[in-house]
Amino acid sequence: EDLYGMRIDKLDGEVCIRLDKDNGIEYITMTEMFTAWEKQAGKFRSGEITKEEYDQWRYTYPQVEVERAKTRLDEAKINNEL
């Protein structure tokens, strides 16, 4: 709880971990990470990506996100130069 701003709770009768919104930057960082994870999990569940692609993302996060952002920036730069 003290280090990561998480607390144990129950939701609909199930044990869950909640992020403490009062924990500033840790809350924002953890929310971004969980949001990225949920997005990729959704893609896997919907069949948009394979299990292998999902596993690759999970095992290389956050580096894979940094590389994707760099690629998007490079592409935008190229498009702006045309």
Side-chain angles (χ1 to χ4, degrees):
E1 293 176 12
D2 297 336
L3 293 177
Y4 300 106
M6 292 187 250
R7 57 188 166 90
I8 196 78
D9 205 343
K10 278 199 170 185
L11 179 65
D12 297 330
E14 293 189 30
V15 175
C16 68
I17 295 175
R18 292 182 179 263
L19 298 176
D20 183 357
K21 290 181 182 179
D22 295 328
N23 202 8
I25 192 68
E26 288 299 326
Y27 172 78
I28 294 168
T29 301
M30 295 298 285
T31 299
E32 289 172 351
M33 291 170 55
F34 286 156
T35 300
W37 182 12
E38 190 280 328
K39 182 178 179 181
Q40 294 302 312
K43 287 180 178 182
F44 170 62
R45 285 190 299 268
S46 72
E48 189 175 336
I49 62 173
T50 66
K51 174 79 165 114
E52 291 77 21
E53 290 169 318
Y54 179 57
D55 286 346
Q56 178 67 21
W57 180 89
R58 291 187 307 140
Y59 302 148
T60 59
Y61 181 87
Q63 184 60 33
V64 69
E65 291 299 317
V66 170
E67 291 170 7
R68 285 181 183 172
K70 183 180 180 316
T71 299
R72 285 191 300 269
L73 289 172
D74 290 346
E75 289 171 353
K77 183 179 176 182
I78 289 169
N79 288 335
N80 286 335
E81 291 174 356
L82 297 178

